[in-house]
Amino acid sequence: MGLGLTACTAHPPAAAPVMAPVSATAPWVNEMLTSINAQRSAVGAGPLQLCASLGRAAADHTADQAMHNLMTHTGSDGSTMVIRVERAGYTGWSAVAENVAAGYQTVAAVMNGWMNSTGHRTNLLNPAYTDVGVGQVPSTGGTIYWTQDFGSSGTC
């Protein structure tokens, strides 16, 4: 959530997963964007647009979480959300934030979880954000990991 970082158990450095950007045509992506924008509209916040660079950051972080079965805002390589979004090309930003979750089976369920959490809800509804990237990856054990990266004024 936000720019705050949580602590996690150290893991040996691993190669960062290389993933294709999340397709904007994937049904779950469209469902999530529609849900985000409906929630934002209800409080008078403007809609978010999908951003390819934030999508790469979210997809890569989600894959990393799934690979290590660990839900955290810190990457297995020690990276912070800021490092990951900039590494993915989202530079020149004025604000960024991240939501992560694990164990929710559907977009509706994870969105409900985030909307019922003060910090996550704040990120979702923050009118300062204009861009979003999302990630969803199941672990080998079947747990689904999710990431939303939010930003403003960055390079998409």
Side-chain angles (χ1 to χ4, degrees):
M1 288 180 297
L3 291 174
L5 301 175
T6 58
C8 70
T9 306
H11 290 281
V18 177
M19 297 187 60
V22 174
S23 170
T25 59
W28 75 266
V29 173
N30 292 328
E31 181 183 354
M32 182 169 283
L33 183 63
T34 298
S35 181
I36 291 168
N37 285 334
Q39 295 291 345
R40 290 173 64 83
S41 177
V43 298
L48 299 180
Q49 67 176 356
L50 288 177
C51 173
S53 56
L54 287 177
R56 282 188 298 276
D60 287 350
H61 185 57
T62 309
D64 184 47
Q65 291 182 103
M67 185 181 347
H68 293 93
N69 291 307
L70 185 65
M71 186 188 70
T72 179
H73 291 284
T74 304
S76 64
D77 62 356
S79 62
T80 65
M81 180 246 331
V82 169
I83 289 169
R84 291 189 302 275
V85 300
E86 289 180 348
R87 185 168 53 201
Y90 196 74
T91 57
W93 54 268
S94 60
V96 292
E98 179 173 82
N99 288 346
V100 295
Y104 295 95
Q105 297 300 306
T106 65
V107 168
V110 73
M111 285 295 295
N112 185 56
W114 280 328
M115 289 302 292
N116 285 302
S117 165
T118 303
H120 296 103
R121 180 183 177 90
T122 298
N123 288 342
L124 278 158
L125 302 181
N126 188 330
Y129 300 128
T130 56
D131 305 320
V132 68
V134 296
Q136 175 208 64
V137 176
S139 69
T140 57
T143 300
I144 299 174
Y145 289 81
W146 305 83
T147 304
Q148 293 176 324
D149 283 332
F150 303 94
S152 297
S153 305
T155 304
C156 287

